[in-house]
Amino acid sequence: MSTKPTKIAIIGSGTIGLSFAALHLTKNPSCKVMILDSRPDLQEYVSQNLPGYLIDTDQISCIERLSFARDVEEAVREADIVQEQGPEDVNFKTGIWPEIEKHAPADALFWSSTSGIPASEQSQNMVDRSRLVVCHPYNPPLVMPLLEIVRSPETSDEIVERTLKYWRALGRTPVVVKKECVGFVANRLAFALLREASSLVSQGIVDVHDLDDIVCSSMGPRWAVAGPFKAYHAGGGEGGLKSFMDKIGGTVQKCWDASDEDVRRGNINVGEAWQEDICKQASEAYGVADTAERDRKTRKVLEAVQS
Amino acid sequence: MSTKPTKIAIIGSGTIGLSFAALHLTKNPSCKVMILDSRPDLQEYVSQNLPGYLIDTDQISCIERLSFARDVEEAVREADIVQEQGPEDVNFKTGIWPEIEKHAPADALFWSSTSGIPASEQSQNMVDRSRLVVCHPYNPPLVMPLLEIVRSPETSDEIVERTLKYWRALGRTPVVVKKECVGFVANRLAFALLREASSLVSQGIVDVHDLDDIVCSSMGPRWAVAGPFKAYHAGGGEGGLKSFMDKIGGTVQKCWDASDEDVRRGNINVGEAWQEDICKQASEAYGVADTAERDRKTRKVLEAVQS
């Protein structure tokens, strides 16, 4: 990044866009953020909702560095970074990138926050497809350190490097996903566990609240400190993951086989019979979720891991 | 529990047994622990290894309250709790419980730390099968709060209630698993994610270290604070988990379908081709694991969640 203030265009200011705006404004204290969004009450909406994201920071400085654009050209023409989180609609994405490309500086970074439309699809109408890369956050981006940097076969190494450098300077954890795949990595992992959780609950083995308690008191804190491979590598002692698999592999395979059979028998697919009861249990157990409390504790957990 | 010091017999003093001994001695400051183990160097082994578990506590008091038994009768005859973590071998378990039952007081609690042999199998030679319940820890039990209390169809409600009461008094998180199932719950969940992780790494989408970084910077800290159902319930806003599934369900199903296909195509089963490279990557990334550092951080994470 240059020593001049970074200029960031935020295209689409839903909850993800606002959280990213707040992240840039708070962690990059000289940057300027310009928001483009088609909602008619944009300025009112932002001034009502953004302050909730600006915790432990100089709110006035943040808001002074924020502005609004009337159109794509105004939003991106001086931008160092264009970060898009518009509708999850291929036509929207393929339509807007050529327009952004036309008006933005030649060295501006182009990032999409999409959770599922890969850069290779989004970039199909661009002149220089090497400029686009997906930066997929884990919600909310202001709190969670992860950014999945999902490159397309066209994305250039230089774009990836500059993208990593920016996020690392902000204290985030950008991780390169080397090949585009359905759902990228974090959601694929989390949804795999969600399916198994749903299968076990649907069999009456545990209820929703107890299952959550199990995760919070075991693999949650474990994986906050060491991911699954590192954790099982430690579990294998001096012989590492190989010893772990040699010793426990039989049990692992029995669990996988049982899971496959149970998922098949219980028809654990979206919209099937199991889903209604689990949603009902979640609603009864938790009512309306308090994300402020969750985010406060998550920040403390992340600080504890760093300490 | 009575107001007299609780007397606990630890049958089998491998790493799980020692960690449990340390847990009782440190969190239940008046209890007495008697260890039975067939290893010939038992006392030397315990005196060398136990102090490493006795952190931030009065080590001398702990060691004064520890003794060793010569046989099952001596170990259990005055025990309030008999906690077994011998070999994971059905014959060992079905052989020892009738002997324990014969010598222990009529109201002693019988707990097995097994990770996979359910109480209904272990208890088959007992006179009163209602007395046995599985208390499966998440390793190491001294650090991780979870205990899966896996009841058999025979286990009595009273035994379950007294078991929960003891663990809660020690500040742990005992969770009742209502039906015996392969692998119980925590391992089933963790292994489901491990399989997906192995599948994604084996495809070259991410490497082992990057996958761990993804988990540590996203679902790890999230699930330390709120389990998967609670987390997605919050993700659905006011409509909760139902809204989440209505909005994101299509993406979830696409991920599940892709995972099934990838696991099948990559033959992600124990001992197949993928395993060697992943074990090699783990070894290169992590060398010999530092569990002391992991446990220190995990304690801080757990404190952060409580705060």
Side-chain angles (χ1 to χ4, degrees), chain B residues 63-91:
Chain B
I63 287 163
E64 279 174 354
R65 290 181 284 123
L66 180 70
S67 60
F68 300 92
R70 273 156 304 197
D71 54 26
V72 169
E73 181 177 353
E74 186 184 5
V76 309
R77 69 183 168 206
E78 294 184 13
D80 300 296
I81 294 166
V82 180
Q83 188 167 23
E84 177 276 330
Q85 39 280 314
E88 282 289 271
D89 169 353
V90 175
N91 293 327

Side-chain angles (χ1 to χ4, degrees), chain A residues 185 189 222-223 226-236 240-242 244-245 256, chain B residues 190-191 193-202 206-216 268 274-275 277-283 285-287 289 294:
Chain A
V185 174
L189 296 172
R222 166 63 42 82
W223 291 342
F229 291 118
K230 189 173 184 183
Y232 290 125
H233 183 71
L241 188 59
K242 185 174 183 314
F244 175 85
M245 291 304 290
W256 287 351
Chain B
F191 292 162
L193 187 139
L194 176 68
R195 191 180 211 180
E196 183 65 8
S198 299
S199 173
L200 294 169
V201 172
S202 77
V206 277
D207 62 28
V208 157
H209 192 287
D210 283 349
L211 188 130
D212 281 341
D213 279 350
I214 285 174
V215 173
C216 290
I268 309 299
W274 61 275
Q275 197 173 304
D277 175 56
I278 284 179
C279 291
K280 189 160 163 276
Q281 281 194 43
S283 185
Y286 302 123
R294 177 198 69 184

